[in-house]
Amino acid sequence: MNKRNEIRNIAIIAHVDHGKTTLVDCILKQTGTQRESQQVTTRVMDSNPQERERGITIFAKNASYTYNNHKVNIVDTPGHADFGGEVERILKMADGALLLVDAFEGPMPQTKFVLRRALEAGLKILVVINKIDRPNSRPMTVLDEVLDLFIQLGATEEQLEFPYIFASAKNGYCVLDPKDEPKDITPLLDMILATVPPPDADIDAPFQMLVNSLDYSDYLGKIAIGRIFKGKVKPSDQVIAVAQNQEPKKYKVGKVFLFDRLGKTEATEASAGDIVALTGLEHVLIGHTITSLETPIALEPIEITEPTISMRFSVN
Ligand code: GDP
């Protein structure tokens, strides 16, 4: 099996308010994409009064950045236990996860919930102890508490050897030791490339992708988002949507999008390891497998559901 060495797919997981949005903004800023980030964030927030009121992140927002000739896709994961099933599906798109923990509060209930799911999904976990600038922060103690949580959740020996870093997302820096001189978030960007495995990529196999989330656009209709497990896909390709106990359905792919910063760009082709958004699959649901005509086999016997929330992001 080949690897796509130039790609990393990571999830970002945390208890609410521990700093996911701030860290992603900070990553996009340092990798040169701040302007787009602000525009889109404002639009997303504007479009959803519920999110604004609750002051929490309820959307699975995707982002990507380029660093040292690598493309890193970031999938945001809802931290709420009541989003049953969604977290697992979203984590399936990633090979690694950034677990953010507030250096003052320490691990909280949603930290445990999302960490459990990420460990079950077998992701490489990088621990980010955030908000070390807070006056009463206790980074080393919180790191110990995180280790205890890993043990409590039955992490394997290998999972216990997690890489960790200390951060002040708000002030735009990460350090390997809280006593280090803060500069920027380069240590985190390097750590992601060094420790998260690149995706497996059987590019020559027949096309296979699992639909992990859905989006809608007035202009493009339904948009199926997922990671390509095998093969390649191009606009206008003939595909089949399959699911357990359902009639397979044939479709013609409309457009193929790759994630680009906080938006998307149209692609002429995407292949195994990429996280893509496909249009033209009108009746597709989360949990469906999209395949080439020759191998209509469902990838996962997961429950098919309509999304509990609608997800929006702009399509360039
Ligand atoms: P999310 O819910 O995980 O997306 O959290 P946010 O990124 O929205 O952050 C929640 C709050 O914590 C905001 O008021 C941020 O400004 C603040 N915050 C985020 N990172 C830091 C940090 O490194 N230091 C401090 N002091 N505050 C932070």
Side-chain angles (χ1 to χ4, degrees):
M1 180 88 64
N2 293 323
K3 300 270 180 189
R4 296 273 307 273
N5 274 316
E6 76 286 12
I7 294 181
R8 297 293 185 280
N9 293 320
I10 58 172
I12 182 158
I13 58 178
H15 187 81
V16 66
D17 272 350
H18 283 196
K20 285 198 295 188
T21 311
T22 311
L23 185 70
V24 171
D25 280 354
C26 166
I27 290 173
L28 293 176
K29 186 175 174 188
Q30 188 172 320
T31 55
T33 53
Q34 176 63 11
R35 211 160 47 83
E36 290 81 351
S37 132
Q38 280 179 345
Q39 279 172 0
V40 177
T41 308
T42 311
R43 218 176 304 143
V44 170
M45 299 298 260
D46 283 352
S47 69
N48 192 294
Q50 194 192 2
E51 175 167 16
R52 220 167 36 225
E53 266 168 35
R54 291 161 74 188
I56 56 170
T57 312
I58 61 168
F59 291 105
K61 282 179 240 155
N62 297 302
S64 78
Y65 65 92
T66 304
Y67 175 69
N68 273 358
N69 299 319
H70 289 74
K71 172 156 185 191
V72 182
N73 294 304
I74 306 175
V75 293
D76 181 17
T77 316
H80 316 284
D82 54 329
F83 281 67
E86 279 185 74
V87 172
E88 287 95 315
R89 283 183 196 116
I90 290 170
L91 292 178
K92 280 195 181 125
M93 289 194 273
D95 299 294
L98 297 185
L99 174 70
L100 253 77
V101 185
D102 186 314
F104 170 70
E105 281 195 343
M108 298 295 279
Q110 288 164 27
T111 313
K112 186 172 174 180
F113 171 76
V114 288
L115 177 59
R116 186 196 299 275
R117 294 290 179 270
L119 289 170
E120 284 166 359
L123 303 188
K124 176 76 189 178
I125 295 163
L126 282 66
V127 173
V128 182
I129 307 291
N130 188 33
K131 308 198 190 186
I132 59 167
D133 61 285
R134 283 183 73 171
N136 297 314
S137 73
R138 38 188 197 97
M140 296 317 284
T141 321
V142 167
L143 181 63
D144 281 345
E145 291 170 5
V146 172
L147 178 62
D148 288 345
L149 191 60
F150 271 73
I151 295 168
Q152 195 191 328
L153 291 172
T156 62
E157 291 281 310
E158 201 188 328
Q159 286 171 327
L160 290 177
E161 300 278 309
F162 56 81
Y164 58 87
I165 202 161
F166 302 91
S168 170
K170 195 173 158 181
N171 295 298
Y173 66 82
C174 288
V175 283
L176 295 172
D177 184 311
K179 292 191 284 292
D180 287 352
E181 187 63 34
K183 286 193 184 80
D184 55 22
I185 54 154
T186 301
L188 176 63
L189 300 178
D190 289 337
M191 186 179 273
I192 290 169
L193 295 191
T195 61
V196 176
D200 287 334
D202 194 352
I203 292 174
D204 299 321
F207 174 63
Q208 247 187 4
M209 153 184 165
L210 187 65
V211 178
N212 301 80
S213 62
L214 292 174
D215 190 16
Y216 301 90
S217 144
D218 292 341
Y219 174 57
L220 296 165
K222 192 176 255 186
I223 302 170
I225 298 162
R227 167 166 164 178
I228 302 180
F229 280 93
K230 289 182 178 173
K232 297 177 190 164
V233 67
K234 294 193 296 296
S236 304
D237 274 358
Q238 300 271 355
V239 292
I240 296 185
V242 278
Q244 298 270 315
N245 311 321
Q246 285 185 18
E247 274 294 299
K249 224 180 184 109
K250 253 193 200 181
Y251 291 103
K252 187 172 158 193
V253 173
K255 292 173 190 288
V256 175
F257 292 96
L258 291 170
F259 290 93
D260 183 17
R261 298 178 282 195
L262 275 167
K264 297 192 209 68
T265 46
E266 228 176 307
T268 51
E269 186 177 85
S271 43
D274 285 325
I275 294 178
V276 290
L278 304 181
T279 67
L281 314 177
E282 211 185 320
H283 300 290
V284 133
L285 296 176
I286 291 173
H288 278 177
T289 302
I290 313 298
T291 72
S292 58
L293 301 189
E294 65 256 51
T295 51
I297 300 160
L299 270 172
E300 302 270 340
I302 66 176
E303 200 188 326
I304 307 297
T305 55
E306 285 286 1
T308 53
I309 49 162
S310 71
M311 291 186 281
R312 297 182 66 94
F313 47 78
S314 71
V315 174
N316 296 336

